[in-house]
Each structure stands twice: as structure tokens, then as C-alpha cells.
Amino acid sequence: MIPAYNCGEFLGEAIESVLRQDPGEEYMQIEVVDDASTDIDVAALVLEIGKGRVKYFRQDVNTGSLRNFETAINRATGHYIHLLHGDDRVKPGFYAHIERLFEQFPEAAASFSCWDYINGNGALIKKESARAASPGIIENCLHKLSRGQMIQYVSMVVKRNVYEELGSFYGVFYGEDWEMWARIAKHHPIAYTPESLAEYRTHYNSITGHSFLNGNNIRDLRKVFKAIGQMLPEEDRKQASLAVRRNYAIWALEATRFMWQRTGNHLFVYRQLFELLKLYPNLQLFFRSVALLLRIWKVTLRKKLGKLKRKLIG
């Protein structure tokens, strides 16, 4: 199931990545669930690439990501459900590997693979570190998820009856998958393969990108951390809260630096640093934040002086 909204420049790649490993219509449903996109004619693109093999459903109005994901789940007819966002891709062999995982570990409610990060052009940014040396059930999965996110949508496949049992995504627009995977891990085993079989695309027009730019990522994650904490034994909650806030704050600071280098958006940096220091008020994080601000101001000053020099010379 391919939920999509205004990701026309990437959607064709997502569809093609599935079709390259299509086992046949009698075995796998492939459908784009369009949340009333306005950037391109999604129906025409689906018909052109899918040639009738890929089904198409369009929302009457834009419902937002959570309801569009829910629609995709409700429209799915298969035993296993893979939500492939319209800007991501899967590598050849993804579905065969995931199917083997479920066969090898039938107790698993969900299975996921390792993945790569790619940019808007599809080029590799970095490879995600493996969670284990070989395929298997993730031990203490809820405990690990309470300390940090370790699963991406693109790499995760969930049994249909698990969504029916536990419900869908809700509550927040950033980190909703983190809470969902933790909810599954609380009740059921989750299987994993270290094979890198999926590609998660980072770009500024994504849900993640928008959340970073307006600071909603951290505000939403406060709710996620609280929700996951409530799934833990009471004696573990305080330590888990401290660990996840520290881990995320350190990661988000680097992500902020990365996005600033590519967008030059100063206001977004100020929002992120303000929210980060509220999330995890730590002296080391404060000094690293100040160092980033000084670097930004230095670059900005150099640019302004360069413009002034060119103006005076001209």
C-alpha cells in the first residue's frame, strides 16, 4: 500500500521499486492511496507506470497523513501490510526476504529489515547500522524502542490482524510510527534481518522535513515518549525517559546542523535548539548548540561582508 501526498517527483520510483519484484496480482495487492495531491495527476502517473497492475484510490479531500495511512490499512486485503510512503523505495528482494522472516519466525507480529538513507536525487547518504548480526527476533524490543527509534516505515511489514487488534497510527504527526512499533512490541515479538533492503528518502518537503522546520517534531515526540513510557514497568520509566530524551536530543542536534547546511534556514535552527534544550536541559548540549549558533553567525557575517565588498567595488 503506497500512501502519497504531493510527492509526484518521487512516486514513480516508489511504484517501480515494487513492480520490479512483483510476484503477481494473485499474490500481492499494489495500490496507491492518494491524499488529494495537487502537484501532479497521480491517477495518470499510476496508470502510465502500473499499466493497470497498480490500483489507485483518491481521497475526496486532503485528510492528513494519519487518516491516509489508516485508509491504506483499511483498503489492504493481504495477510501482511507494507506501508511504502510515496517518496521511499524498496530494493530487489525486500518482499521475498520479509516473507522468509515470517516463515522462519511465525510468532512475529511484524518484521523489518535494515535500510539506507537516500537524498532527493536518490543518492546514498548513509547506511543504517545493523541491529543484529543475523536474522531473528529482536530481544527486549520494547525496552530498546523506549530508548530510541530503530525502525523505519519503509522497512516494516505488519500482519494485518495485528493492526486489527491494536489499532492504527494516532495522536501525533511526527513519531506516530515509533509509538505504533512500541505498541506492537509490548504485545508481540518483532523479527529483523540485517540485510539492507529498503531506502528511506530525506528531503525537505516530506512530513519529517516539515516537522523539523516548524519545530513540531519535538513537541510531538514529548507525547510519544510519554506514551511509550506508560507501556513500561513503572520502575523503568524514569531511566527510559532520561535515556530517550538524551539520545534524541543528540541525534536531532546533528540533524539540525545537517538541514541548516542544506537549507540555510536560520529560523528553523533557533526553533530546534530552543525545543531541544527544553527537551533535554544539559550543559554539554547547551555548549554544542552555542557552537552551532556561532558557526551560523560566522557564515552569515562572511556572506554579508562579501555582499558589501562586491557592492562597494561595483
Side-chain angles (χ1 to χ4, degrees):
M1 305 304 292
I2 307 176
Y5 176 67
N6 284 359
C7 56
E9 61 182 312
F10 308 122
L11 182 57
E13 293 181 34
I15 297 171
E16 288 170 347
S17 74
V18 176
L19 289 174
R20 280 194 287 269
Q21 50 191 306
D22 176 21
E25 191 167 2
E26 72 284 356
Y27 200 73
M28 183 166 71
Q29 174 187 10
I30 308 173
E31 182 171 321
V32 172
V33 181
D34 177 17
D35 197 17
S37 294
T38 58
D39 59 340
I40 65 165
D41 186 339
V42 178
L45 177 69
V46 171
L47 182 61
E48 177 186 354
I49 296 176
K51 304 186 187 312
R53 171 66 179 93
V54 181
K55 304 303 181 185
Y56 175 72
F57 175 83
R58 178 181 172 88
Q59 303 278 14
D60 293 332
V61 297
N62 179 254
T63 63
S65 58
L66 297 186
R67 295 290 70 80
N68 202 46
F69 299 159
E70 183 177 52
T71 300
I73 292 171
N74 289 337
R75 291 185 60 81
T77 59
H79 182 56
Y80 306 118
I81 299 178
H82 179 220
L83 293 180
L84 173 64
H85 291 189
D87 50 1
D88 294 333
R89 305 186 304 205
V90 286
K91 296 182 183 181
F94 174 82
Y95 295 105
H97 273 79
I98 292 296
E99 185 176 21
R100 285 199 293 272
L101 265 182
F102 279 118
E103 291 172 351
Q104 187 176 359
F105 306 100
E107 70 274 25
S111 295
F112 71 106
S113 75
C114 202
W115 68 90
D116 296 340
Y117 292 89
I118 59 174
N119 64 16
N121 297 320
L124 177 67
I125 297 175
K126 71 170 185 175
K127 291 182 172 293
E128 179 66 14
S129 300
R131 307 296 177 187
S134 59
I137 296 294
I138 296 290
E139 297 295 331
N140 301 313
C141 192
L142 176 58
H143 172 84
K144 292 173 180 176
L145 282 166
S146 73
R147 268 68 177 172
Q149 171 65 297
M150 62 180 198
I151 305 172
Q152 280 290 352
Y153 268 110
V154 66
S155 67
M156 183 67 144
V157 177
V158 179
K159 287 180 177 177
R160 177 188 180 84
N161 62 359
V162 174
Y163 280 128
E164 292 172 346
E165 173 195 353
L166 301 178
S168 183
F169 307 89
Y170 68 88
V172 295
F173 291 95
Y174 182 89
E176 79 288 349
D177 55 330
W178 194 346
E179 189 278 336
M180 182 78 247
W181 314 146
R183 207 182 329 151
I184 294 173
K186 176 177 173 59
H187 297 279
H188 302 286
I190 295 178
Y192 168 76
T193 176
E195 292 283 338
S196 185
L197 299 170
E199 295 175 316
Y200 171 73
R201 193 187 304 267
T202 63
H203 61 100
Y204 313 119
N205 199 37
S206 66
I207 297 171
T208 300
H210 284 302
S211 294
F212 261 88
L213 292 175
N214 60 29
N216 284 340
N217 59 316
I218 297 176
R219 289 188 285 273
D220 276 355
L221 282 177
R222 288 179 182 275
K223 300 175 184 178
V224 171
F225 297 162
K226 182 177 180 179
I228 295 177
Q230 293 300 314
M231 302 177 195
L232 300 170
E234 189 169 353
E235 62 270 18
D236 294 339
R237 293 174 186 174
K238 184 175 181 180
Q239 185 179 7
S241 175
L242 178 63
V244 73
R245 287 186 289 112
R246 179 188 64 240
N247 294 341
Y248 183 80
I250 293 171
W251 176 87
L253 179 62
E254 289 306 305
T256 299
R257 179 186 60 79
F258 177 85
M259 291 187 71
W260 166 71
Q261 289 175 335
R262 282 150 183 79
T263 65
N265 187 326
H266 297 178
L267 183 59
F268 129 77
V269 174
Y270 302 148
R271 287 173 179 157
Q272 281 294 302
L273 296 183
F274 176 73
E275 294 292 341
L276 280 176
L277 289 169
K278 283 202 304 181
L279 179 71
Y280 183 61
N282 172 268
L283 196 58
Q284 184 181 13
L285 184 68
F286 172 78
F287 286 129
R288 291 179 64 178
S289 299
V290 169
L292 177 58
L293 288 174
L294 290 175
R295 183 178 177 186
I296 290 173
W297 294 335
K298 182 179 179 180
V299 170
T300 303
L301 180 60
R302 187 185 302 126
K303 288 180 179 179
K304 288 183 177 180
L305 290 175
K307 287 181 180 180
L308 179 60
K309 182 178 179 181
R310 289 191 295 271
K311 184 177 181 180
L312 292 173
I313 294 175

